[in-house]
Amino acid sequence: MEGKYPNLSKPIKLGNVYFKNRMFGAPMGGTDITADCTVGPMSTAFYEYRAKGGAASVTVSELVVHPKTEGSHMYHLDLHTPGSLSSFTYTADAIRRHGAIASVELSHSGQYSGTYLTDKDKKEGLAQWGPSNGTRPDGREVKELTQDLIDEIVEAYGEKAALAKKAGFEMVMVHGGHGWLINQFLSPYFNKRTDKYGGSLENRVRFAQEVLDSVRKAVGEGFPIEFRMSGSELFDGGYDLNEGIEIAKLIEDKIDLLHVSAGTYQRGFGVTHPSMFLPHGSNVYLAEAIKKHVKVPVATLGGLNDPQMMEDIIASGKADVVEMARALLADPELPKKVVTNKDDLIVRCLRCYTCMAERAQTATRRCTVNPIIGRELNNMEILPAAVKKKVLVVGGGPGGLQAAYTAARRGHEVILCEKNDEVGGILIGEQAIPFKYEMYQLGVTLGKLCESVGVDIRLNTPVTKELAETINADAIIVAAGSEPFLPPIKGLDGENVILINNYHHEKEKVTDKVIVLGGGLAGCEVAIHFAREGKQVKLVEMNSELSPDANVRHRPLLLSEIEKSGIEVYKNHKALEVNANGVVCSNKENETLLIEGTSVVCALGQRARRDIVDELWNSAPIVSQIGDCVKVSTITTAVYQGHHAAMDV
Ligand SMILES: Cc1cc2nc3c(=O)[nH]c(=O)nc-3n(C[C@H](O)[C@H](O)[C@H](O)COP(=O)(O)O)c2cc1C
């Protein structure tokens, strides 16, 4: 078969091991870690999902090599804890049985040990160890590792690598980036030692070299070792790309794959895990620069989800391997779709950070566009239904499309009626905002996926009770979505006012002096977009906070973008009237003032479309309602509820 992406699909040999293509699954923390730090069955299923999807390798993270000096509640692997080795063996096996190479990330957080520990009492009892004495940003004391402890940790890397090999892993990844212990030794910012591990670059690299020697001794020649490093720490005082190149040169003969990531978790989260505000592939330049100076194969990653871009990266020699984390949550079958030329069916990652926010807040895993993530074992496998039914889905937004897709995959006869002339619902408007384009694409792709499984999509078809009764479905899933909420503010019907949902049709009406009314998530994002277009932007919000509806990972980056973009923010300003000169507001002190602007984009929220639910609630034996028409919420909620409504038919 003629492949569209021959470079991505081509096998590669690292050490003595053959990898079936160039698309590797980057490490992502597991969903359940048992009380004694072994891999739970849910996590095994979480990793297996990506192996099934066709990734050449799947890396299990993060195996803490030396629990004595690293108290984070992550995976431990030892011979004393019952179930420890066996859990890793089952996990490696689950990955390998799909033809993917199982790898495990060997890690130590160093001075950041315990940062992500959800048990705060336990955290209080921990000691943090780093290359040098110091105080962490959260005020906790960091103790300098003694030579004895360094020797123990170096040895522990080897011990854990040997156990991983015993468990059936065929590669190990040594985590030397993102601000964790090995990175702390490499960094002039963290490492102030005056012994053989500090000072010159050669000395700062010594710890990494000793770790890699210890791992090599444990696993033997030919067993691939991948080293993850940040090509540059990307903050003042950290090492830069030039030093990154030198570090790479000093370790390359000890490894089989150099994995070049970027920045640090603590000081550049939105760069290490590139946010939607950055271009795709924003960190590739680091791998490309380093690759020019080393012979060892190089991997790159960061915000990669477009097959053509990834193909070009390999074809042009910028890297030998591409790795993906979030893109493989959104669509674990991405690699399979690439090698079978079905790339138009790839559900793309939105870079919305739902995955990372859920982890931070509830220690669970979720993906906005993939309802199965984190719930792989909850009877989520899509099997043919015992009794085939006729299902009518009302509304072609993300929830309705997901419902139709899942129902059709279960073998039901599915009709989806959409009142507009295209599917996508509220996502259609996102096409006008470049950094949210994937949200628009989600609607398009879900539409194609529905077509691929035979959903009968009827556009320009509003559903009335009569139509529903004529269709005579066994089940109706109402996914009617929401409509803009318009408070009784004088002048909102004016010529200079554009509803955010209509912006993609009315772009030319937005002038160079624009006021965005409403500082929720949608308002903040469109304001950033206008500022990027060079417009003078004023953002008016009646509450004291901007975008409280954004998740904990996205929000800080959103607020920093607003600040960087020079947007004038008016919090605690209630709009009273819109006129040709701008928006008349009252402020906290109850003063009335005019915020000047020549056009006004209205982002005052949405409200549930209940009329359709009220009309259809008894038009079939089973009627379910999902997404915004129940309660205005997120794409995540709509997709998740749509999937489950279809599973329940
Ligand atoms: C949900 C999630 C969990 C992650 N957990 C880890 C981890 O345990 N260890 C690690 O080295 N990187 C971890 N990462 C970082 C990724 O491996 C990757 O470097 C980063 O997300 C950038 O790649 P991406 O843009 O393809 O997502 C995680 C990323 C995500 C999204």
Side-chain angles (χ1 to χ4, degrees):
M1 190 181 84
E2 183 73 14
K4 279 165 78 177
Y5 303 107
N7 286 285
L8 273 183
S9 310
K10 200 161 60 186
I12 185 169
K13 187 181 182 198
L14 303 173
N16 285 340
V17 175
Y18 291 98
F19 295 74
K20 63 183 171 185
N21 61 51
R22 307 297 179 101
M23 295 169 278
F24 285 24
M28 282 184 284
T31 45
D32 63 329
I33 301 175
T34 66
D36 46 13
C37 298
T38 62
V39 193
M42 275 165 64
S43 290
T44 299
F46 172 74
Y47 292 115
E48 180 170 18
Y49 192 17
R50 261 164 301 294
K52 270 190 199 169
S57 86
V58 175
T59 301
V60 173
S61 68
E62 302 192 359
L63 166 50
V64 168
V65 296
H66 194 247
K68 185 170 138 189
T69 50
E70 152 75 293
S72 286
H73 188 88
M74 297 190 232
Y75 298 131
H76 299 172
L77 174 55
D78 56 60
L79 292 174
H80 321 293
T81 311
S84 181
L85 182 59
S86 61
S87 77
F88 274 86
T89 308
Y90 282 126
T91 307
D93 191 52
I95 295 168
R96 294 171 66 185
R97 64 185 168 229
H98 301 286
I101 299 300
S103 180
V104 61
E105 181 178 48
L106 307 180
S107 190
H108 193 305
S109 306
Q111 75 160 52
Y112 290 115
S113 158
T115 309
Y116 305 104
L117 205 59
T118 37
D119 181 346
K120 300 296 176 208
D121 290 340
K122 189 170 171 206
K123 186 170 166 175
E124 286 308 309
L126 290 177
Q128 277 78 28
W129 296 90
S132 303
N133 290 326
T135 310
R136 277 184 5 180
D138 64 359
R140 296 188 64 82
E141 189 199 343
V142 180
K143 290 194 255 175
E144 179 170 303
L145 283 165
T146 60
Q147 182 65 56
D148 285 350
L149 281 173
I150 290 177
D151 292 344
E152 259 188 50
I153 293 172
V154 165
E155 209 182 313
Y157 271 96
E159 272 166 24
K160 304 304 165 180
L163 281 175
K165 185 176 176 183
K166 188 170 180 177
F169 285 90
E170 293 161 294
M171 175 160 79
V172 290
M173 174 192 280
V174 174
H175 198 347
H178 297 182
W180 310 122
L181 183 63
I182 295 179
N183 186 155
Q184 288 158 29
F185 269 91
L186 296 173
S187 170
Y189 178 85
F190 293 104
N191 184 345
K192 305 287 181 204
R193 296 179 80 98
T194 51
D195 61 3
K196 63 178 179 175
Y197 297 103
S200 68
L201 184 71
E202 285 70 20
N203 281 355
R204 282 183 274 132
V205 178
R206 193 179 311 280
F207 179 67
Q209 289 171 326
E210 289 181 359
V211 165
L212 291 170
D213 287 341
S214 165
V215 172
R216 174 62 71 209
K217 200 169 147 213
V219 296
E221 288 305 317
F223 187 96
I225 301 175
E226 176 176 7
F227 185 75
R228 168 171 256 199
M229 68 177 284
S230 295
S232 163
E233 286 188 284
L234 297 171
F235 65 80
D236 283 346
Y239 68 78
D240 61 8
L241 175 57
N242 288 332
E243 281 208 328
I245 292 169
E246 295 309 312
I247 292 166
K249 282 162 50 180
L250 288 166
I251 55 168
E252 68 161 322
D253 62 341
K254 300 180 186 297
I255 59 177
D256 302 281
L257 181 64
L258 182 67
H259 170 131
V260 181
S261 185
T264 63
Y265 208 94
Q266 292 78 15
R267 289 159 183 269
F269 184 88
V271 177
T272 301
H273 315 81
S275 77
M276 64 169 69
F277 302 116
L278 289 171
H280 289 283
S282 52
N283 295 331
V284 174
Y285 74 101
L286 295 167
E288 182 185 5
I290 289 177
K291 187 166 163 55
K292 291 188 180 125
H293 298 270
V294 296
K295 291 193 190 65
V296 68
V298 170
T300 185
L301 92 165
L304 298 174
N305 69 359
D306 175 41
Q308 192 57 55
M309 176 183 271
M310 294 191 279
E311 172 75 8
D312 294 343
I313 287 170
I314 297 184
S316 60
K318 290 179 183 160
D320 304 282
V321 165
V322 290
E323 306 222 6
M324 288 163 273
R326 290 169 292 173
L328 297 185
L329 291 182
D331 194 341
E333 291 195 354
L334 183 155
K336 222 182 233 175
K337 290 175 182 174
V338 164
V339 297
T340 55
N341 294 343
K342 290 193 177 140
D343 48 305
D344 59 328
L345 298 182
I346 293 170
V347 178
R348 306 231 180 160
C349 165
L350 309 179
R351 297 197 285 175
C352 62
Y353 287 137
T354 292
C355 52
M356 308 216 72
E358 281 281 334
R359 179 145 151 88
Q361 291 199 294
T362 61
T364 59
R365 190 71 75 226
R366 195 186 282 288
C367 170
T368 291
V369 297
N370 187 343
I372 293 167
I373 291 298
R375 286 137 189 91
E376 293 83 358
L377 287 183
N378 297 355
N379 290 325
M380 294 294 249
E381 200 170 346
I382 297 171
L383 300 170
V387 180
K388 304 277 174 272
K389 292 189 175 153
K390 189 176 194 182
V391 180
L392 169 63
V393 178
V394 180
L401 288 165
Q402 180 69 50
Y405 178 50
T406 303
R409 288 174 75 197
R410 297 189 61 221
H412 295 308
E413 177 195 343
V414 184
I415 300 166
L416 181 146
C417 294
E418 164 54 48
K419 70 178 169 38
N420 291 318
D421 58 3
E422 63 182 310
V423 293
I426 200 167
L427 304 179
I428 295 170
E430 309 293 11
Q431 64 190 291
I433 303 178
F435 58 82
K436 292 175 83 180
Y437 193 76
E438 269 108 352
M439 292 191 188
Y440 163 68
Q441 265 184 325
L442 174 64
V444 175
T445 309
L446 284 174
K448 287 183 188 163
L449 284 166
C450 283
E451 280 165 17
S452 75
V453 289
V455 175
D456 174 3
I457 297 179
R458 300 183 188 172
L459 300 175
N460 302 308
T461 310
V463 179
T464 57
K465 197 169 175 58
E466 291 67 45
L467 178 60
E469 282 169 3
T470 312
I471 290 175
N472 194 20
D474 301 299
I476 299 180
I477 299 174
V478 186
S482 57
E483 58 201 354
F485 171 65
L486 289 180
I489 298 172
K490 201 173 148 203
L492 275 189
D493 54 354
E495 259 307 292
N496 59 339
V497 179
I498 303 105
L499 290 185
I500 189 166
N501 308 50
N502 296 340
Y503 164 60
H504 60 296
H505 288 312
E506 300 184 330
K507 278 189 194 168
E508 68 297 336
K509 276 178 71 178
V510 181
T511 57
D512 282 345
K513 290 189 174 141
V514 58
I515 299 171
V516 175
L517 208 50
L521 182 57
C524 288
E525 287 174 345
V526 84
I528 292 167
H529 163 63
F530 293 143
R532 287 182 168 200
E533 285 189 323
K535 296 186 187 338
Q536 187 195 94
V537 188
K538 296 177 181 172
L539 179 59
V540 179
E541 167 56 44
M542 75 176 192
N543 293 315
S544 58
E545 298 268 15
L546 289 181
S547 194
D549 47 343
N551 71 49
V552 293
R553 288 298 186 191
H554 186 59
R555 188 162 182 265
L557 295 163
L558 181 84
L559 297 182
S560 116
E561 268 321 291
I562 287 177
E563 210 178 308
K564 277 193 281 183
S565 315
I567 295 168
E568 271 179 51
V569 177
Y570 295 84
K571 289 190 252 184
N572 298 307
H573 278 67
K574 189 168 189 289
L576 304 173
E577 180 187 342
V578 176
N579 61 37
N581 301 319
V583 179
V584 179
C585 295
S586 69
N587 65 13
K588 227 176 164 181
E589 288 74 37
N590 256 334
E591 297 156 342
T592 302
L593 67 156
L594 172 73
I595 297 174
E596 288 183 38
T598 44
S599 60
V600 176
V601 170
C602 194
L604 294 167
Q606 296 285 117
R607 72 168 170 208
R609 260 200 197 111
R610 293 302 299 170
D611 49 343
I612 306 178
V613 184
D614 292 342
E615 189 172 343
L616 300 179
W617 69 272
N618 62 353
S619 300
I622 305 171
V623 179
S624 46
Q625 22 178 320
I626 61 141
D628 271 12
C629 73
V630 181
K631 182 170 182 262
V632 172
S633 184
T634 55
I635 305 174
T636 321
T637 305
V639 167
Y640 194 76
Q641 291 182 347
H643 176 76
H644 285 286
M647 292 294 273
D648 291 345
V649 170

